[in-house]
Coordinates of all heavy atoms in Angstrom, one line a residue:
M67 N 9.6 8.6 -3.1 CA 10.7 7.8 -2.7 C 11.2 8.2 -1.3 O 11.5 7.3 -0.5 CB 11.8 8.0 -3.7 CG 11.7 7.1 -5.0 SD 11.3 5.4 -4.7 CE 12.9 4.8 -4.1
T68 N 11.1 9.5 -1.0 CA 11.6 10.0 0.3 C 10.7 9.4 1.4 O 11.1 9.0 2.4 CB 11.5 11.5 0.3 OG1 12.3 12.0 -0.8 CG2 12.1 12.1 1.6
R69 N 9.4 9.4 1.1 CA 8.4 8.9 2.1 C 8.6 7.4 2.2 O 8.5 6.8 3.3 CB 7.0 9.2 1.7 CG 6.7 10.7 1.9 CD 5.2 11.0 1.9 NE 4.9 12.3 2.4 CZ 4.7 13.3 1.6 NH1 4.6 13.2 0.3 NH2 4.4 14.5 2.1
L70 N 8.8 6.7 1.1 CA 9.0 5.3 1.2 C 10.2 4.9 2.0 O 10.2 4.0 2.9 CB 9.2 4.7 -0.2 CG 9.1 3.2 -0.4 CD1 7.8 2.7 0.1 CD2 9.3 2.9 -1.9
Q71 N 11.3 5.7 1.8 CA 12.5 5.4 2.6 C 12.2 5.7 4.1 O 12.7 5.0 5.0 CB 13.7 6.3 2.1 CG 15.0 6.0 2.8 CD 15.5 4.6 2.6 OE1 15.5 4.0 1.5 NE2 15.8 3.9 3.7
A72 N 11.5 6.8 4.4 CA 11.2 7.2 5.7 C 10.4 6.0 6.4 O 10.6 5.7 7.6 CB 10.4 8.5 5.8
A73 N 9.4 5.5 5.7 CA 8.6 4.4 6.2 C 9.5 3.2 6.5 O 9.4 2.5 7.5 CB 7.5 4.0 5.2
R74 N 10.5 2.9 5.6 CA 11.4 1.8 5.7 C 12.3 2.0 6.9 O 12.6 1.0 7.7 CB 12.2 1.6 4.4 CG 12.8 0.2 4.3 CD 13.4 -0.1 3.0 NE 14.6 0.7 2.8 CZ 15.5 0.3 1.9 NH1 15.4 -0.8 1.2 NH2 16.6 1.0 1.7
D75 N 12.8 3.2 7.1 CA 13.6 3.5 8.2 C 12.9 3.3 9.5 O 13.4 2.7 10.5 CB 14.1 5.0 8.2 CG 15.1 5.2 7.1 OD1 15.7 4.2 6.6 OD2 15.4 6.4 6.7
R76 N 11.6 3.7 9.6 CA 10.8 3.5 10.8 C 10.6 2.0 11.0 O 10.6 1.6 12.2 CB 9.4 4.1 10.6 CG 9.4 5.6 10.8 CD 8.1 6.2 10.3 NE 8.1 7.6 10.1 CZ 7.9 8.5 11.1 NH1 7.6 8.1 12.3 NH2 8.1 9.8 10.8
N77 N 10.4 1.3 10.0 CA 10.1 -0.1 10.1 C 11.3 -0.9 10.5 O 11.3 -1.9 11.1 CB 9.5 -0.7 8.8 CG 8.3 -1.5 8.9 OD1 7.3 -1.0 9.4 ND2 8.4 -2.8 8.6
G78 N 12.5 -0.5 10.0 CA 13.8 -1.1 10.4 C 14.1 -2.4 9.7 O 14.9 -3.2 10.1
N79 N 13.4 -2.7 8.6 CA 13.7 -3.9 7.8 C 13.4 -3.6 6.3 O 12.7 -2.7 6.0 CB 13.0 -5.1 8.3 CG 11.5 -4.9 8.5 OD1 10.9 -4.0 8.0 ND2 10.9 -5.8 9.2
P80 N 13.9 -4.5 5.4 CA 13.7 -4.2 4.0 C 12.2 -4.4 3.5 O 11.4 -5.1 4.1 CB 14.5 -5.3 3.3 CG 15.4 -5.9 4.3 CD 14.7 -5.7 5.6
F81 N 11.8 -3.6 2.5 CA 10.5 -3.8 1.9 C 10.7 -4.5 0.6 O 11.6 -4.2 -0.2 CB 9.9 -2.4 1.5 CG 9.4 -1.6 2.7 CD1 8.9 -0.3 2.5 CD2 9.4 -2.1 4.0 CE1 8.4 0.4 3.6 CE2 8.9 -1.4 5.1 CZ 8.4 -0.1 4.8
V82 N 9.8 -5.5 0.3 CA 9.7 -6.1 -1.0 C 8.5 -5.4 -1.7 O 7.4 -5.4 -1.2 CB 9.5 -7.6 -0.9 CG1 9.2 -8.2 -2.2 CG2 10.7 -8.3 -0.2
I83 N 8.8 -4.8 -2.9 CA 7.9 -4.1 -3.6 C 7.3 -4.9 -4.7 O 8.0 -5.4 -5.6 CB 8.5 -2.8 -4.2 CG1 9.2 -1.9 -3.2 CG2 7.5 -2.0 -5.0 CD1 8.3 -1.5 -2.1
N84 N 6.0 -5.2 -4.7 CA 5.3 -6.0 -5.7 C 5.0 -5.2 -7.0 O 5.0 -5.8 -8.1 CB 4.0 -6.6 -5.2 CG 4.2 -7.6 -4.1 OD1 5.3 -8.0 -3.8 ND2 3.1 -7.9 -3.4
S85 N 4.8 -3.9 -6.8 CA 4.4 -3.1 -7.9 C 4.6 -1.6 -7.5 O 4.4 -1.3 -6.4 CB 2.9 -3.3 -8.2 OG 2.5 -2.5 -9.3
A86 N 5.0 -0.8 -8.5 CA 5.2 0.6 -8.2 C 4.7 1.4 -9.4 O 3.5 1.2 -9.8 CB 6.7 0.9 -7.9
H87 N 5.5 2.3 -10.0 CA 4.9 3.0 -11.1 C 4.6 2.1 -12.3 O 5.4 1.2 -12.6 CB 6.0 4.1 -11.6 CG 5.5 4.8 -12.8 ND1 4.5 5.8 -12.7 CD2 5.8 4.7 -14.1 CE1 4.3 6.3 -13.9 NE2 5.1 5.6 -14.8
R88 N 3.5 2.3 -13.0 CA 3.2 1.6 -14.2 C 2.9 2.5 -15.3 O 2.3 3.6 -15.2 CB 1.9 0.8 -14.0 CG 1.9 -0.3 -12.9 CD 0.5 -0.8 -12.8 NE 0.4 -1.7 -11.6 CZ -0.8 -1.9 -10.9 NH1 -1.9 -1.3 -11.3 NH2 -0.8 -2.7 -9.8
C89 N 3.4 2.1 -16.5 CA 3.0 2.9 -17.7 C 1.6 2.5 -18.0 O 1.0 1.5 -17.5 CB 3.9 2.6 -18.9 SG 3.7 0.9 -19.5
G90 N 0.9 3.3 -18.9 CA -0.5 3.1 -19.2 C -0.8 1.7 -19.8 O -1.7 1.1 -19.4
L91 N 0.1 1.2 -20.6 CA -0.1 -0.1 -21.2 C 0.0 -1.2 -20.2 O -0.9 -2.1 -20.2 CB 1.0 -0.3 -22.3 CG 0.9 -1.6 -23.1 CD1 -0.5 -1.7 -23.9 CD2 2.0 -1.7 -24.1
H92 N 1.0 -1.1 -19.4 CA 1.2 -2.2 -18.3 C 0.0 -2.1 -17.4 O -0.5 -3.2 -17.0 CB 2.5 -2.0 -17.6 CG 2.7 -3.0 -16.5 ND1 2.9 -4.4 -16.8 CD2 2.7 -2.9 -15.2 CE1 3.0 -5.0 -15.7 NE2 2.9 -4.2 -14.6
N93 N -0.5 -0.9 -17.0 CA -1.6 -0.8 -16.1 C -2.8 -1.5 -16.7 O -3.5 -2.2 -16.0 CB -1.9 0.6 -15.8 CG -2.9 0.8 -14.7 OD1 -2.7 0.3 -13.5 ND2 -4.0 1.5 -15.0
A94 N -3.1 -1.3 -17.9 CA -4.2 -1.9 -18.6 C -4.0 -3.4 -18.6 O -5.0 -4.2 -18.4 CB -4.3 -1.4 -20.0
R95 N -2.8 -3.9 -18.9 CA -2.6 -5.3 -19.0 C -2.8 -6.0 -17.7 O -3.2 -7.2 -17.7 CB -1.1 -5.6 -19.5 CG -1.0 -5.5 -21.0 CD 0.4 -5.8 -21.4 NE 0.5 -5.8 -22.9 CZ 1.6 -5.5 -23.5 NH1 2.7 -5.2 -22.9 NH2 1.7 -5.4 -24.9
V96 N -2.4 -5.4 -16.6 CA -2.6 -6.1 -15.3 C -4.0 -5.8 -14.7 O -4.3 -6.2 -13.5 CB -1.5 -5.7 -14.2 CG1 -0.2 -6.1 -14.8 CG2 -1.5 -4.2 -13.9
G97 N -4.9 -5.1 -15.4 CA -6.2 -4.9 -15.0 C -6.3 -3.8 -13.9 O -7.2 -3.8 -13.1
G98 N -5.4 -2.8 -13.9 CA -5.4 -1.7 -13.0 C -6.5 -0.8 -13.3 O -7.0 -0.7 -14.4
A99 N -7.0 0.0 -12.3 CA -8.0 1.0 -12.5 C -7.5 2.0 -13.5 O -6.4 2.3 -13.5 CB -8.4 1.6 -11.2
P100 N -8.4 2.5 -14.4 CA -8.0 3.4 -15.5 C -7.3 4.7 -14.9 O -6.4 5.2 -15.5 CB -9.3 3.8 -16.2 CG -10.2 2.7 -15.9 CD -9.8 2.2 -14.5
L101 N -7.7 5.2 -13.7 CA -7.1 6.3 -13.1 C -6.2 5.9 -11.9 O -6.1 6.7 -11.0 CB -8.2 7.3 -12.7 CG -9.0 7.9 -13.8 CD1 -10.1 8.8 -13.2 CD2 -8.2 8.7 -14.8
S102 N -5.7 4.7 -12.0 CA -4.9 4.2 -10.9 C -3.8 5.1 -10.5 O -3.1 5.7 -11.3 CB -4.3 2.8 -11.3 OG -3.4 2.4 -10.4
Q103 N -3.5 5.2 -9.2 CA -2.4 6.0 -8.7 C -1.1 5.3 -9.1 O 0.0 6.0 -9.0 CB -2.4 6.1 -7.1 CG -3.6 7.0 -6.6 CD -3.3 8.4 -6.9 OE1 -2.2 8.9 -6.8 NE2 -4.3 9.2 -7.2
H104 N -1.1 4.1 -9.6 CA 0.1 3.5 -10.1 C 0.6 4.2 -11.3 O 1.8 4.0 -11.7 CB -0.1 2.0 -10.3 CG -0.1 1.2 -9.1 ND1 1.1 0.8 -8.4 CD2 -1.1 0.6 -8.4 CE1 0.8 0.1 -7.3 NE2 -0.5 0.0 -7.3
L105 N -0.3 5.0 -12.0 CA 0.2 5.7 -13.1 C 1.0 6.9 -12.7 O 1.7 7.5 -13.5 CB -1.0 6.2 -14.0 CG -1.8 5.0 -14.6 CD1 -3.2 5.5 -15.1 CD2 -1.0 4.4 -15.7
K106 N 0.9 7.3 -11.4 CA 1.7 8.4 -10.8 C 2.7 7.6 -9.9 O 3.6 7.0 -10.5 CB 0.8 9.3 -10.0 CG -0.2 10.0 -10.8 CD -1.1 10.9 -10.0 CE -2.3 11.4 -10.7 NZ -3.3 12.0 -9.8
L107 N 2.5 7.7 -8.6 CA 3.4 6.9 -7.8 C 2.6 6.2 -6.7 O 2.0 6.9 -5.8 CB 4.5 7.7 -7.1 CG 5.4 6.7 -6.4 CD1 6.5 6.2 -7.2 CD2 6.0 7.4 -5.1
A108 N 2.5 5.0 -6.8 CA 1.9 4.1 -5.8 C 2.8 2.9 -5.6 O 3.5 2.5 -6.6 CB 0.5 3.7 -6.2
V109 N 2.8 2.3 -4.5 CA 3.6 1.2 -4.2 C 2.9 0.1 -3.4 O 2.1 0.4 -2.5 CB 4.8 1.7 -3.3 CG1 5.8 0.5 -3.0 CG2 5.6 2.8 -4.0
D110 N 3.0 -1.1 -3.9 CA 2.4 -2.2 -3.2 C 3.6 -2.9 -2.4 O 4.5 -3.5 -3.1 CB 1.8 -3.2 -4.2 CG 0.6 -2.6 -4.9 OD1 0.1 -1.6 -4.4 OD2 0.2 -3.2 -6.0
I111 N 3.5 -2.9 -1.1 CA 4.5 -3.5 -0.3 C 4.1 -4.9 0.2 O 3.0 -5.0 0.8 CB 4.8 -2.6 0.9 CG1 5.2 -1.2 0.5 CG2 5.9 -3.2 1.8 CD1 5.1 -0.2 1.6
S112 N 4.9 -5.9 -0.1 CA 4.6 -7.2 0.4 C 4.5 -7.3 1.9 O 5.3 -6.7 2.6 CB 5.7 -8.2 -0.1 OG 5.5 -9.5 0.5
L113 N 3.5 -8.1 2.4 CA 3.4 -8.2 3.9 C 4.3 -9.2 4.4 O 4.4 -9.4 5.7 CB 1.9 -8.6 4.2 CG 0.9 -7.6 3.8 CD1 -0.5 -8.1 4.2 CD2 1.1 -6.2 4.4
K114 N 4.9 -10.0 3.6 CA 5.8 -11.1 4.0 C 6.9 -10.6 5.0 O 7.6 -9.7 4.6 CB 6.4 -11.8 2.8 CG 6.7 -13.3 3.1 CD 7.1 -14.0 1.8 CE 7.4 -15.4 2.1 NZ 7.9 -16.2 0.9
G115 N 7.0 -11.2 6.2 CA 8.0 -10.8 7.1 C 7.7 -9.5 7.9 O 8.5 -9.0 8.6
H116 N 6.5 -9.0 7.7 CA 6.1 -7.8 8.4 C 4.9 -8.0 9.3 O 4.0 -8.8 9.0 CB 5.7 -6.6 7.5 CG 6.8 -6.2 6.6 ND1 7.9 -5.5 7.1 CD2 7.1 -6.3 5.3 CE1 8.7 -5.2 6.2 NE2 8.3 -5.6 5.0
D117 N 4.9 -7.3 10.4 CA 3.6 -7.1 11.2 C 2.8 -6.1 10.4 O 3.2 -4.9 10.3 CB 3.9 -6.6 12.6 CG 2.7 -6.3 13.4 OD1 1.8 -5.6 12.9 OD2 2.6 -6.8 14.6
R118 N 1.7 -6.5 9.8 CA 1.0 -5.6 8.9 C 0.5 -4.3 9.6 O 0.5 -3.2 8.9 CB -0.2 -6.3 8.2 CG -1.2 -6.9 9.2 CD -2.2 -7.7 8.4 NE -3.2 -8.3 9.3 CZ -3.0 -9.4 10.0 NH1 -1.9 -10.1 9.9 NH2 -3.9 -9.8 10.9
H119 N 0.1 -4.3 10.8 CA -0.3 -3.1 11.5 C 0.8 -2.1 11.7 O 0.6 -0.9 11.6 CB -1.1 -3.4 12.7 CG -2.4 -4.1 12.4 ND1 -2.7 -5.4 12.7 CD2 -3.5 -3.7 11.8 CE1 -3.9 -5.8 12.3 NE2 -4.4 -4.7 11.7
I120 N 2.0 -2.7 12.1 CA 3.1 -1.8 12.3 C 3.5 -1.2 10.9 O 3.8 0.0 10.8 CB 4.3 -2.6 12.9 CG1 3.9 -2.9 14.4 CG2 5.6 -1.8 12.9 CD1 5.0 -3.8 15.1
L121 N 3.5 -2.0 9.9 CA 3.8 -1.5 8.5 C 2.9 -0.4 8.1 O 3.3 0.7 7.7 CB 3.8 -2.7 7.5 CG 4.0 -2.3 6.1 CD1 5.5 -1.9 5.9 CD2 3.7 -3.5 5.2
Y122 N 1.6 -0.6 8.3 CA 0.6 0.4 8.0 C 0.9 1.7 8.8 O 0.9 2.8 8.3 CB -0.8 -0.1 8.3 CG -1.9 1.0 8.4 CD1 -2.1 1.8 7.3 CD2 -2.6 1.1 9.5 CE1 -3.1 2.7 7.3 CE2 -3.6 2.1 9.6 CZ -3.9 2.9 8.5 OH -4.8 3.9 8.5
Q123 N 1.1 1.6 10.1 CA 1.3 2.7 11.0 C 2.6 3.5 10.5 O 2.5 4.7 10.4 CB 1.6 2.2 12.4 CG 1.4 3.3 13.5 CD 0.0 4.0 13.4 OE1 -1.0 3.4 13.3 NE2 0.0 5.3 13.5
N124 N 3.6 2.8 10.2 CA 4.8 3.5 9.7 C 4.6 4.2 8.4 O 5.2 5.3 8.2 CB 6.0 2.5 9.6 CG 6.5 2.1 11.0 OD1 6.4 2.9 11.9 ND2 7.0 0.9 11.1
C125 N 3.9 3.6 7.5 CA 3.6 4.3 6.2 C 2.7 5.5 6.4 O 2.9 6.5 5.7 CB 2.9 3.3 5.3 SG 4.0 2.0 4.7
K126 N 1.8 5.4 7.3 CA 0.9 6.6 7.6 C 1.8 7.7 8.2 O 1.6 8.8 7.8 CB -0.1 6.1 8.7 CG -1.4 6.8 8.6 CD -2.4 6.1 9.4 CE -3.4 7.0 10.1 NZ -4.4 6.3 10.9
E127 N 2.6 7.3 9.2 CA 3.5 8.4 9.8 C 4.5 9.0 8.8 O 4.9 10.1 9.0 CB 4.2 7.7 11.0 CG 3.3 7.6 12.2 CD 4.0 6.8 13.4 OE1 5.2 6.7 13.4 OE2 3.2 6.3 14.2
A128 N 4.8 8.2 7.8 CA 5.8 8.7 6.8 C 5.1 9.6 5.8 O 5.7 10.2 4.9 CB 6.4 7.5 6.0
G129 N 3.8 9.7 5.9 CA 3.0 10.7 5.1 C 2.2 10.2 3.9 O 1.6 10.9 3.2
F130 N 2.1 8.8 3.8 CA 1.2 8.3 2.7 C -0.2 8.6 3.1 O -0.6 8.6 4.3 CB 1.5 6.8 2.5 CG 2.8 6.6 1.8 CD1 3.9 6.2 2.5 CD2 2.9 6.8 0.5 CE1 5.1 6.0 1.9 CE2 4.1 6.6 -0.2 CZ 5.2 6.2 0.5
T131 N -1.1 8.8 2.1 CA -2.4 9.2 2.3 C -3.5 8.2 1.8 O -4.6 8.2 2.3 CB -2.7 10.5 1.7 OG1 -2.1 10.5 0.3 CG2 -2.0 11.7 2.4
G132 N -3.1 7.4 0.8 CA -4.1 6.4 0.3 C -3.6 5.0 0.7 O -2.4 4.7 0.5
F133 N -4.5 4.2 1.1 CA -4.2 2.8 1.5 C -5.1 1.8 1.0 O -6.3 1.9 1.1 CB -4.2 2.7 3.1 CG -3.1 3.6 3.7 CD1 -3.4 4.9 4.1 CD2 -1.8 3.1 3.9 CE1 -2.5 5.7 4.7 CE2 -0.9 3.9 4.5 CZ -1.2 5.2 4.9
G134 N -4.6 0.8 0.4 CA -5.4 -0.4 -0.1 C -4.9 -1.6 0.7 O -3.7 -1.9 0.7
F135 N -5.8 -2.2 1.4 CA -5.5 -3.3 2.3 C -5.8 -4.6 1.6 O -7.0 -4.9 1.2 CB -6.2 -3.3 3.6 CG -6.0 -2.0 4.4 CD1 -6.9 -0.9 4.3 CD2 -4.8 -1.8 5.1 CE1 -6.6 0.3 5.0 CE2 -4.6 -0.6 5.8 CZ -5.5 0.4 5.7
Y136 N -4.8 -5.4 1.4 CA -4.9 -6.7 0.6 C -4.4 -7.8 1.5 O -3.8 -7.6 2.5 CB -4.2 -6.7 -0.7 CG -4.8 -5.7 -1.7 CD1 -4.5 -4.3 -1.6 CD2 -5.6 -6.1 -2.7 CE1 -5.0 -3.4 -2.5 CE2 -6.2 -5.3 -3.6 CZ -5.9 -3.9 -3.5 OH -6.5 -3.0 -4.4
T137 N -4.6 -9.1 1.1 CA -4.2 -10.2 1.9 C -2.7 -10.4 1.9 O -2.1 -10.8 2.9 CB -4.9 -11.5 1.5 OG1 -4.7 -11.7 0.1 CG2 -6.4 -11.5 1.8
S138 N -2.0 -10.0 0.8 CA -0.6 -10.3 0.7 C 0.2 -9.0 0.6 O 1.5 -9.1 0.6 CB -0.3 -11.2 -0.5 OG -0.7 -10.6 -1.7
F139 N -0.4 -7.9 0.5 CA 0.4 -6.6 0.4 C -0.4 -5.4 0.8 O -1.7 -5.5 1.0 CB 0.9 -6.4 -1.1 CG -0.2 -6.1 -2.1 CD1 -0.7 -4.9 -2.4 CD2 -0.8 -7.2 -2.8 CE1 -1.7 -4.6 -3.3 CE2 -1.8 -7.0 -3.7 CZ -2.3 -5.7 -4.0
L140 N 0.3 -4.3 1.1 CA -0.3 -3.1 1.5 C 0.0 -2.1 0.3 O 1.1 -1.9 0.0 CB 0.3 -2.5 2.8 CG -0.1 -1.1 3.2 CD1 -1.6 -1.1 3.5 CD2 0.7 -0.7 4.4
H141 N -1.1 -1.5 -0.3 CA -0.9 -0.5 -1.3 C -0.8 0.9 -0.6 O -1.7 1.2 0.3 CB -2.1 -0.5 -2.3 CG -2.2 0.7 -3.1 ND1 -2.0 0.7 -4.5 CD2 -2.6 2.0 -2.8 CE1 -2.2 1.9 -5.0 NE2 -2.5 2.7 -4.0
V142 N 0.1 1.7 -0.9 CA 0.2 3.1 -0.4 C 0.4 4.0 -1.5 O 1.1 3.7 -2.5 CB 1.4 3.2 0.6 CG1 1.2 2.3 1.8 CG2 2.8 3.0 0.0
D143 N -0.2 5.2 -1.4 CA 0.0 6.3 -2.4 C -0.1 7.6 -1.8 O -0.4 7.8 -0.6 CB -0.9 6.0 -3.6 CG -2.3 6.2 -3.3 OD1 -2.7 7.2 -2.7 OD2 -3.1 5.4 -3.8
L144 N 0.0 8.7 -2.6 CA -0.1 10.0 -2.2 C -1.3 10.7 -2.8 O -1.4 12.0 -2.8 CB 1.2 10.8 -2.6 CG 2.5 10.2 -1.9 CD1 3.7 10.9 -2.5 CD2 2.5 10.4 -0.4
G145 N -2.3 10.0 -3.1 CA -3.6 10.5 -3.6 C -4.4 11.0 -2.5 O -3.9 11.1 -1.3
R146 N -5.7 11.3 -2.8 CA -6.5 11.8 -1.7 C -6.6 10.8 -0.6 O -6.5 9.6 -0.8 CB -7.9 12.3 -2.2 CG -8.7 11.2 -2.8 CD -9.9 11.7 -3.5 NE -10.5 10.6 -4.3 CZ -11.2 9.6 -3.7 NH1 -11.5 9.7 -2.5 NH2 -11.7 8.6 -4.5
R147 N -7.0 11.3 0.6 CA -7.1 10.4 1.8 C -8.2 9.4 1.6 O -9.4 9.8 1.5 CB -7.3 11.3 3.0 CG -6.2 11.3 4.0 CD -6.4 12.3 5.1 NE -5.2 13.2 5.1 CZ -4.0 12.8 5.5 NH1 -3.8 11.6 6.0 NH2 -3.0 13.6 5.5
R148 N -7.9 8.2 1.5 CA -8.9 7.1 1.4 C -8.4 5.8 1.7 O -7.2 5.6 1.8 CB -9.5 7.2 -0.1 CG -8.4 6.6 -1.1 CD -8.6 7.3 -2.4 NE -7.8 6.5 -3.4 CZ -6.4 6.6 -3.4 NH1 -5.7 7.3 -2.5 NH2 -5.8 5.9 -4.3
H149 N -9.2 4.8 1.8 CA -8.8 3.4 2.0 C -9.8 2.5 1.4 O -11.0 2.8 1.2 CB -8.5 3.2 3.5 CG -9.8 3.0 4.2 ND1 -10.4 4.1 4.8 CD2 -10.6 2.0 4.5 CE1 -11.5 3.7 5.4 NE2 -11.7 2.4 5.2
W150 N -9.4 1.3 1.1 CA -10.3 0.3 0.6 C -9.6 -1.1 0.9 O -8.5 -1.2 1.3 CB -10.5 0.4 -0.9 CG -9.3 0.1 -1.7 CD1 -8.9 -1.1 -2.3 CD2 -8.2 1.1 -2.1 NE1 -7.7 -0.9 -2.9 CE2 -7.3 0.4 -2.8 CE3 -8.0 2.4 -1.8 CZ2 -6.1 1.0 -3.3 CZ3 -6.9 3.0 -2.3 CH2 -6.0 2.3 -3.1
F151 N -10.5 -2.1 0.8 CA -10.0 -3.5 1.0 C -10.0 -4.3 -0.3 O -11.0 -4.1 -1.1 CB -10.9 -4.2 2.0 CG -10.8 -3.6 3.4 CD1 -11.6 -2.6 3.8 CD2 -9.8 -3.9 4.2 CE1 -11.5 -2.0 5.0 CE2 -9.6 -3.3 5.5 CZ -10.5 -2.4 5.9
G152 N -9.0 -5.1 -0.5 CA -9.0 -5.9 -1.8 C -10.2 -6.8 -1.9 O -10.7 -7.0 -3.0
N153 N -10.6 -7.4 -0.8 CA -11.8 -8.2 -0.8 C -12.2 -8.5 0.6 O -11.6 -7.9 1.6 CB -11.5 -9.6 -1.5 CG -10.3 -10.3 -0.9 OD1 -10.0 -10.2 0.2 ND2 -9.6 -11.1 -1.8
Q154 N -13.2 -9.3 0.8 CA -13.8 -9.6 2.2 C -12.7 -10.2 3.1 O -12.6 -9.9 4.3 CB -15.0 -10.4 2.0 CG -15.9 -10.4 3.3 CD -16.4 -9.0 3.7 OE1 -16.6 -8.2 2.8 NE2 -16.4 -8.8 5.0
K155 N -12.0 -11.1 2.5 CA -10.9 -11.8 3.2 C -9.9 -10.8 3.8 O -9.4 -10.9 4.9 CB -10.3 -12.9 2.3 CG -9.5 -14.0 3.1 CD -8.9 -15.0 2.1 CE -7.9 -15.9 2.9 NZ -7.1 -16.6 2.0
A156 N -9.5 -9.9 2.9 CA -8.6 -8.8 3.4 C -9.1 -8.0 4.5 O -8.4 -7.7 5.4 CB -8.2 -8.0 2.2
K157 N -10.4 -7.7 4.4 CA -11.1 -6.9 5.5 C -11.0 -7.7 6.8 O -10.7 -7.1 7.8 CB -12.5 -6.6 5.1 CG -13.2 -5.6 5.9 CD -14.4 -5.1 5.3 CE -14.9 -3.9 6.1 NZ -16.1 -3.2 5.5
Q158 N -11.2 -9.0 6.8 CA -11.2 -9.8 8.0 C -9.8 -9.9 8.5 O -9.5 -9.8 9.7 CB -11.7 -11.2 7.7 CG -13.2 -11.2 7.6 CD -13.8 -12.5 6.9 OE1 -13.0 -13.4 6.6 NE2 -15.1 -12.6 6.8
L159 N -8.8 -10.0 7.6 CA -7.4 -10.2 8.0 C -6.9 -8.9 8.7 O -6.3 -9.0 9.7 CB -6.6 -10.4 6.7 CG -5.1 -10.5 6.9 CD1 -4.7 -11.9 7.5 CD2 -4.3 -10.3 5.6
W160 N -7.3 -7.7 8.1 CA -6.8 -6.5 8.6 C -7.5 -6.0 9.9 O -6.9 -5.4 10.8 CB -6.8 -5.4 7.6 CG -5.7 -5.5 6.6 CD1 -5.7 -6.2 5.4 CD2 -4.4 -4.9 6.7 NE1 -4.4 -6.1 4.8 CE2 -3.7 -5.3 5.6 CE3 -3.8 -4.0 7.6 CZ2 -2.3 -4.8 5.4 CZ3 -2.5 -3.6 7.4 CH2 -1.8 -4.0 6.3
Q161 N -8.8 -6.3 10.0 CA -9.6 -5.9 11.1 C -9.3 -4.4 11.5 O -9.0 -4.1 12.6 CB -9.5 -6.8 12.2 CG -10.0 -8.2 11.9 CD -10.1 -9.1 13.1 OE1 -9.5 -8.8 14.2 NE2 -10.9 -10.1 13.0
I162 N -9.5 -3.5 10.5 CA -9.2 -2.1 10.7 C -10.3 -1.3 10.1 O -11.0 -1.8 9.1 CB -7.8 -1.9 10.0 CG1 -7.1 -0.7 10.6 CG2 -7.9 -1.8 8.5 CD1 -5.7 -0.6 10.1
Y163 N -10.7 -0.2 10.6 CA -11.8 0.7 10.1 C -13.1 0.1 10.3 O -13.3 -1.1 10.4 CB -11.6 1.1 8.6 CG -10.5 2.0 8.4 CD1 -9.3 1.5 7.8 CD2 -10.5 3.3 8.8 CE1 -8.2 2.4 7.5 CE2 -9.4 4.2 8.6 CZ -8.3 3.7 7.9 OH -7.2 4.5 7.7
Ligands
LIG22 ZN1 -1.4 -0.7 -5.6

């Protein structure tokens, strides 16, 4: 939460959170990965109203280490350093890495 607030402070505008902590049952129901970081703390931030690259930069500077790039949201977590794309369209949209 501290990192999330730090990212929001840097960004200077509100975050709309699509998904955050999930219990095991909910994670299974929404088709989340069995070892999903959403079972610990992961947050999906809606891209609506944001410059996605500035949002990503601010989350990185706030200390998040895991990033999932999607067409409508940015997934951030504190798991091991890694990144992935939701699909090919997301990869084209982000044009990063
Ligand atoms: Zn997520």
